[in-house]
Amino acid sequence: MTTPMVKAEGVHKSFGAAHILKGIDLEVAPREVFCLIGPSGSGKSTFLRCINHLEKINAGRLSVDGELVGYRQKGDKLYEMKDSEVALQRRDIGMVFQRFNLFPHMTALENVMEAPIQVKGEAKAVARARAEKLLDRVGLGDKAKNYPTQLSGGQQQRVAIARALAMEPKLMLFDEPTSALDPELVGDVLDVMRGLAEDGMTMVVVTHEMGFAREVGDALVFMDDGVVVESGHPRDVLTNPQHDRTKSFLSKVL
Ligand code: ADP
Ligand code: MG
């Protein structure tokens, strides 16, 4: 059996007294486009942040590519990883947020070059060559010298995707990557994500773009109030939801 790229077993997360993730079980296979939908506040972002070790889970097991996130197992005991080990784990995971968070004082090209140079100590020429290719790939080869303020929201988001790809991640997490964009700019970003999917990138995508989920997604989970309510192939869940909560949510967004 192939190792799942993400495996969550009984994952719980609380912030103080607020119990947010209440036992999440799911598996993302390598090369899969895994879509996560659900009402605002249901815990989607929190779950993505746990995968990327931006939040620590309180109970359960969460692994990426067969490795526990943030823990080493010796025998039947778990040891918390040192920060340096966590950093190594996180290098392999790219994340794209609703807000693009580009470095404002750097050009598009410099934004994409930055992490490999700073984090991996890569030679500048190597980082530059890759960054140029990646900007081409997201359709922005001619904007390399532009600063973020000289780019549209959709272009900035595509630079953010190129920046995440520059670390050559094995998993990409997208947290509502098109929600902050004007409607006419959404398509270009979704096209880039579609291309990534075609190239075999494993992706976990939190989105309200049901068209994308249906056309590109291999699996879809509907989450509500910190639990997985329903999961399956996007076509099945979207056209034939089984649970009232799923039906009610879809009637509002479709
Ligand atoms: P979604 O992405 O599905 O809209 P979130 O994961 O962002 O949901 O949030 C789920 C719940 O967790 C919300 O009620 C939110 O207020 C709460 N929450 C998220 N992050 C924190 C935090 N750092 N501290 C306290 N509460 C948080
Ligand atoms: Mg969110």
Side-chain angles (χ1 to χ4, degrees), residues 39-41 43-46 98 175-176 206:
S40 175
K44 304 179 301 294
S45 295
T46 301
Q98 186 172 340
D175 195 356
E176 300 196 30
V206 175

Side-chain angles (χ1 to χ4, degrees), residues 93-135:
I93 304 173
M95 187 150 177
V96 175
F97 301 88
Q98 186 172 340
R99 298 256 156 230
F100 340 114
N101 312 316
L102 295 178
F103 305 120
H105 58 291
M106 293 183 189
T107 64
L109 187 75
E110 287 164 351
N111 263 281
V112 181
M113 290 170 63
E114 181 69 5
I117 294 173
Q118 295 304 328
V119 180
K120 287 187 180 166
E122 194 167 79
K124 235 179 165 176
V126 177
R128 175 184 298 271
R130 186 195 303 101
E132 283 168 352
K133 269 197 208 131
L134 285 172
L135 285 177

Side-chain angles (χ1 to χ4, degrees), residues 9-252:
E9 298 164 277
V11 167
H12 287 260
K13 174 69 190 172
S14 298
F15 295 106
H19 196 182
I20 304 301
L21 300 180
K22 303 172 180 171
I24 301 287
D25 293 292
L26 56 80
E27 268 188 44
V28 180
R31 304 174 72 84
E32 192 166 59
V33 177
F34 188 98
C35 298
L36 197 52
I37 65 170
S40 175
S42 56
K44 304 179 301 294
S45 295
T46 301
F47 182 64
L48 280 195
R49 293 169 60 82
C50 289
I51 297 175
N52 201 16
H53 210 294
L54 294 167
E55 302 289 354
K56 206 178 226 159
I57 67 175
N58 301 113
R61 287 167 74 89
L62 181 60
S63 57
V64 172
D65 200 17
E67 272 190 39
L68 286 176
V69 175
Y71 292 91
R72 289 257 170 252
Q73 187 159 11
K74 279 188 195 137
D76 52 5
K77 278 215 169 125
L78 293 182
Y79 296 88
E80 262 187 55
M81 279 184 181
K82 289 183 286 200
D83 288 350
S84 57
E85 286 177 289
V86 170
L88 273 180
Q89 258 186 345
R90 289 187 54 197
R91 263 163 62 151
D92 289 337
I93 304 173
M95 187 150 177
V96 175
F97 301 88
Q98 186 172 340
R99 298 256 156 230
F100 340 114
N101 312 316
L102 295 178
F103 305 120
H105 58 291
M106 293 183 189
T107 64
L109 187 75
E110 287 164 351
N111 263 281
V112 181
M113 290 170 63
E114 181 69 5
I117 294 173
Q118 295 304 328
V119 180
K120 287 187 180 166
E122 194 167 79
K124 235 179 165 176
V126 177
R128 175 184 298 271
R130 186 195 303 101
E132 283 168 352
K133 269 197 208 131
L134 285 172
L135 285 177
D136 271 340
R137 181 164 169 195
V138 300
L140 294 173
D142 57 339
K143 304 282 186 210
K145 292 204 172 91
N146 286 42
Y147 285 88
T149 54
Q150 301 166 324
L151 297 168
S152 73
Q155 291 169 337
Q156 289 184 53
Q157 190 60 303
R158 285 184 278 151
V159 174
I161 294 172
R163 184 173 64 173
L165 293 173
M167 289 295 283
E168 303 182 318
K170 57 187 173 193
L171 170 66
M172 285 283 286
L173 309 175
F174 291 88
D175 195 356
E176 300 196 30
T178 60
S179 297
L181 300 178
D182 292 333
E184 74 272 21
L185 304 177
V186 167
D188 289 339
V189 172
L190 293 179
D191 284 346
V192 166
M193 293 169 63
R194 196 184 308 262
L196 269 182
E198 280 162 10
D199 290 344
M201 176 61 77
T202 310
M203 300 160 58
V204 180
V205 184
V206 175
T207 187
H208 294 293
E209 295 291 334
M210 299 303 153
F212 176 86
R214 188 185 336 226
E215 287 157 32
V216 185
D218 300 300
L220 182 139
V221 155
F222 171 68
M223 222 171 118
D224 192 12
D225 197 20
V227 297
V228 171
V229 174
E230 185 161 353
S231 61
H233 194 278
R235 257 193 324 270
D236 298 333
V237 179
L238 294 176
T239 55
N240 190 21
Q242 298 298 306
H243 292 262
D244 287 344
R245 282 200 270 178
T246 321
K247 288 177 193 167
S248 152
F249 174 75
L250 290 176
S251 72
K252 288 176 205 143

